[in-house]
Amino acid sequence: MNKTLLLTLVASLCSAPALAANSDRQLALDLARDLGQWQPATVAKDYAVPLGTLIKQHHLDALATEAAQRELAVQAKRGLTGKVDSLMQVRLAHPSMKAALDKGAAPLVAYVPDGDESQWSAIEAFAADGSSQMLDVHQLPARPVFVVGQDGRKAQSAGLKLVRQALVEAGLSSPVVSADTAPLSTTLVQSIRANDVQEPWLLGNAEVFAVVAGIDPFADEPQVDIVDIPYLDDEDKTYYPNQVLVYWDRYRWGAADVVFFEQDSDYNFQDLASLLVQVLGQALSAGGVPEALPFAQLGQQIIKAMPSNWFSNDDDYLDAFYTLEQNQVYSNYPGASGNIRVNLVPKTINPTQ
């Protein structure tokens, strides 16, 4: 592996300028002062509305330029310019707060501060008179709170699409290797549970994805799949997705590594795609595939290449499962870090005749 290139890529991720919390702070303050004009706003099914839509619908013309500039900056920071129509949104911090809003409770408007969330001491929010209040980081407030921030699900959907395309173009990912009439050998996530999804109430639901990595069945090079895990929102809760995690036709020797991540608001998906392409593209360059050690520990190489702050309890790395094998049942099986437990079962999928 070219360590100089890898360190350069890692450094670029670590040194990329942080999203300006001061900009979001000012937006939150301005929206709070205009609460009487836009609240109670029409809250969508997911209790969120795009910031630009809110401003347009409620004629908050004084905020239009500020919000548009912030939108452009956020899309650029995430590497998603031109990939999404919008990322900035105003959302209710938790659906349970809707009842208090309906009863006339006066809401606050908060923003997502900069930095490692494990180091946050309090959450700042603003009332309609512009006064600042400090809220507990971990305890959901009794008072309704609107949050100015990013739409994490939209960012993840667009970002993972970008990453998949980059992997395909680099020859590191491909469609399932199987004829239309042949059965597919897969492993399903029957159930999954996380001790910690590392998301304070301010950030809403977690946005989890998995990187599945193994060796291409027809060439001495890695084969990678990106699996979206959109349902894994709450810690200490068991989910039963019955979701395909591994398509075994993609991997030689019936072995694969799986690494779970939770994307945060600092992810630049263009950089993430480049990092995966470079690390995996060079993973087997030194000596090819060692037959005595047929699985090349790709999961460990991915983890080693990640910026160090991705392992500092501020989202990102959740857990890893090394050398999962085809046709094996894994019951209440812990990951290497002990944060995630899964029940995995083999499943042969027969095509519809």
Side-chain angles (χ1 to χ4, degrees):
M1 184 182 302
N2 186 325
K3 292 184 178 180
T4 301
L5 176 59
L6 178 57
L7 289 173
T8 300
L9 285 165
V10 172
S12 71
L13 281 175
C14 293
S15 62
L19 287 173
N22 285 341
S23 299
D24 287 347
R25 184 182 189 275
Q26 188 61 52
L27 272 171
L29 176 57
D30 292 341
L31 283 168
R33 287 170 171 162
D34 287 336
L35 268 167
Q37 190 170 341
W38 64 268
Q39 203 282 321
T42 300
V43 181
K45 183 179 179 181
D46 57 354
Y47 302 96
V49 59
L51 177 60
T53 300
L54 180 73
I55 288 173
K56 184 176 181 179
Q57 287 181 344
H58 297 275
H59 308 290
L60 306 177
D61 299 335
L63 300 182
T65 299
E66 179 185 7
Q69 291 174 345
R70 190 75 191 105
E71 179 66 45
L72 291 174
V74 167
Q75 290 189 27
K77 177 63 176 74
R78 303 304 301 275
L80 295 176
T81 300
K83 305 296 183 181
V84 291
D85 55 354
S86 65
L87 282 182
M88 291 296 292
Q89 65 174 1
V90 177
R91 61 175 174 81
L92 200 58
H94 195 273
S96 63
M97 295 176 174
K98 184 66 164 55
L101 279 180
D102 291 341
K103 294 178 181 178
L108 301 170
V109 182
Y111 63 96
V112 179
D114 266 345
D116 183 345
E117 65 208 38
S118 68
Q119 302 302 313
W120 293 349
S121 58
I123 302 300
E124 185 178 25
F126 299 102
D129 62 2
S131 62
S132 174
Q133 300 190 26
M134 306 309 290
L135 306 175
D136 187 275
V137 174
H138 304 290
Q139 183 64 42
L140 187 70
R143 186 171 177 178
V145 179
F146 285 102
V147 180
V148 180
Q150 300 178 38
D151 185 335
R153 284 302 308 151
K154 184 182 288 188
Q156 176 149 316
S157 178
L160 295 187
K161 182 178 179 180
L162 183 154
V163 172
R164 290 188 187 103
Q165 183 61 35
L167 291 170
V168 168
E169 291 175 356
L172 297 172
S173 188
S174 62
V176 175
V177 184
S178 179
D180 291 341
T181 58
L184 292 175
S185 176
T186 73
T187 286
L188 302 183
V189 182
Q190 194 173 59
S191 68
I192 184 169
R193 183 182 184 92
N195 296 330
D196 186 3
V197 293
Q198 303 177 358
E199 285 290 83
W201 63 265
L202 183 71
L203 298 180
N205 293 333
E207 285 86 36
V208 177
F209 64 96
V211 178
V212 183
I215 305 302
D216 189 288
F218 304 113
D220 291 349
E221 60 186 32
Q223 180 72 194
V224 187
D225 197 9
I226 306 294
V227 181
D228 199 358
I229 315 289
Y231 47 83
L232 189 60
D233 292 331
D234 299 323
E235 57 196 40
D236 295 325
K237 177 180 177 180
T238 301
Y239 295 84
Y240 302 91
N242 208 41
Q243 178 187 20
V244 174
L245 180 65
V246 185
Y247 288 97
W248 289 110
D249 286 342
R250 297 177 190 254
Y251 305 108
R252 199 188 306 182
W253 298 299
D257 280 352
V258 180
V259 185
F260 285 85
F261 293 100
E262 198 285 321
Q263 66 100 3
D264 71 6
S265 58
D266 281 339
Y267 264 14
N268 182 298
F269 287 98
Q270 297 276 2
D271 288 343
L272 177 60
S274 296
L275 184 64
L276 288 173
V277 167
Q278 295 292 343
V279 170
L280 295 171
Q282 298 182 42
L284 305 180
S285 60
V289 180
E291 294 296 334
L293 183 62
F295 193 64
Q297 298 179 325
L298 296 177
Q300 292 183 24
Q301 296 194 45
I302 292 170
I303 292 172
K304 287 178 181 179
M306 296 295 110
S308 60
N309 66 297
W310 286 26
F311 304 91
S312 59
N313 197 33
D314 62 342
D315 295 359
D316 309 310
Y317 169 76
L318 292 180
D319 215 331
F321 294 81
Y322 298 122
T323 320
L324 295 178
E325 296 182 75
Q326 187 175 6
N327 297 324
Q328 296 297 311
V329 174
Y330 295 90
S331 298
N332 196 30
Y333 189 66
S337 299
N339 186 40
I340 293 178
R341 284 183 177 269
V342 293
N343 283 344
L344 303 178
V345 295
K347 172 70 173 180
T348 300
I349 301 175
N350 293 300
T352 303
Q353 300 299 324

